[in-house]
Amino acid sequence: MATGRKVGSGGHRKRGLAGRGPTPKAEDRPYHKAYRGKQGSDQRHAGGGQGSHGGQNKGRSQGKGAGADWVVGRNPVLEAMMAGLPIKTAYVAEGAERDDRLNEIFRYAAEHSISLLQTRRIELDRLTGGAVHQGVALQLPGYDYAFPPDLIADAVNDESKTGLLVALDGITDPHNLGAIVRSAAAFGAHGVIIPERRSASVTAVAWKSSAGALARVPVAKATNLNRVLQDAAKAGFTVVGLAGEGDTDISGVPGADGPVLLVVGSEGAGLARLTRERCDVLARIPIASDVESLNASVAASVALYEIARCRGSLAE
């Protein structure tokens, strides 16, 4: 018995093992490949609720996500080509099954000198993050953003037309961004300014919504949008914010015949408090009382039209 006590651990080994329990299953051990497989399965089956934005379907159609600068799938690729989106590289998977739509892509690419780079399907899967690309994908070049001071200077110094800029305060939908850029081009704006944070960026979706206007109207990113509004005011711009409760009708904005910087608020909350304080005028667009508000891009288009009409700059 004495010998047993000398060679024993005095209970320390037993206490050290206490509470550890049985060895976890492989799928419950973070560093085991079975664990990663289980996590992926759980994520695929999660979602579908109101807060998921269609998580399951998105996962099936886009995989990890093709990225904002990618267009994947036969219909989207053909539409992007026909819309004149800038193309960095166009890919087609080796052995892609031919159908009428793929034949149209080949024909359009040949007629417009668009090179299609043939690659292995597994490589195209990797490039597009596992998206369902149907054998074709386009990568757009990174957008070259302008600088807000340059847009202000260009608008002030343009002798051919009066300065007009559009600033977006928290527009997060790239469809709206593209549509606003399209309206800015239609009504002679010198450029669009967006904040670096909490804002939609120039993506494939924005390019398509702009109908090519992004190639003609520069977009600048501002580190501090309120400072840009201050700089524009110092340069002689009347800063006009769109607000449903504004005191001034958009058709009667003072200073509309001079340089104007139009500020459009976010889709939900509208203009932020600090942004409102930087505006010289808060203007409203009269609408029927049973309609709460206009879509941000529609409101921007109406306001730009009214400014152009006031200036007499609309094309006959």
Side-chain angles (χ1 to χ4, degrees), residues 29-273:
R29 282 179 268 167
Y31 298 105
H32 198 284
K33 64 180 182 179
Y35 174 87
R36 294 191 293 272
K38 179 186 177 185
Q39 294 299 105
S41 176
D42 290 344
Q43 291 176 3
R44 287 191 296 271
H45 288 88
Q50 292 184 13
S52 69
H53 301 286
Q56 186 172 354
N57 290 335
K58 182 176 180 180
R60 289 173 60 86
S61 63
Q62 294 294 327
K64 297 176 183 177
D69 57 344
W70 283 88
V71 179
V72 300
R74 299 187 180 189
N75 284 335
V77 163
L78 182 59
E79 291 173 2
M81 286 181 168
M82 297 178 70
L85 269 65
I87 298 172
K88 178 181 179 181
T89 315
Y91 295 91
V92 60
E94 294 176 352
E97 184 177 350
R98 300 287 287 265
D99 62 5
D100 291 343
R101 189 46 50 94
L102 188 57
N103 288 334
E104 286 186 68
I105 290 172
F106 287 149
R107 182 166 53 252
Y108 191 90
E111 292 174 353
H112 294 81
S113 301
I114 300 173
S115 299
L116 289 168
L117 181 63
Q118 192 174 62
T119 185
R120 294 183 301 163
R121 180 173 291 272
I122 191 171
E123 176 63 10
L124 193 54
D125 289 342
R126 184 189 68 79
L127 289 170
T128 59
V132 181
H133 48 69
Q134 299 176 306
V136 287
L138 302 177
Q139 185 179 21
L140 276 56
Y143 186 77
D144 188 14
Y145 290 96
F147 295 99
D150 294 339
L151 290 190
I152 293 174
D154 290 344
V156 168
N157 297 322
D158 189 347
E159 298 180 355
S160 64
K161 59 185 179 181
T162 307
L164 178 59
L165 294 171
V166 181
L168 308 183
D169 182 25
I171 296 293
T172 57
D173 186 342
H175 291 94
N176 279 337
L177 172 59
I180 290 171
V181 171
R182 184 176 184 178
S183 294
F187 296 110
H190 289 84
V192 175
I193 302 169
I194 61 175
E196 285 188 349
R197 300 176 61 190
R198 294 184 292 276
S199 173
S201 298
V202 176
T203 63
V205 172
W207 268 105
K208 186 175 178 181
S209 296
S210 79
L214 274 163
R216 304 189 301 277
V217 176
V219 176
K221 272 191 174 181
T223 303
N224 186 322
L225 184 60
N226 289 311
R227 187 174 302 158
V228 172
L229 301 186
Q230 284 182 305
D231 292 342
K234 291 177 182 178
F237 282 80
T238 298
V239 181
V240 180
L242 286 182
E245 72 283 6
D247 295 328
T248 305
D249 191 298
I250 189 63
S251 63
V253 171
D257 56 343
V260 171
L261 193 160
L262 178 70
V263 190
V264 184
S266 67
E267 294 92 344
L271 297 174
R273 179 181 60 82

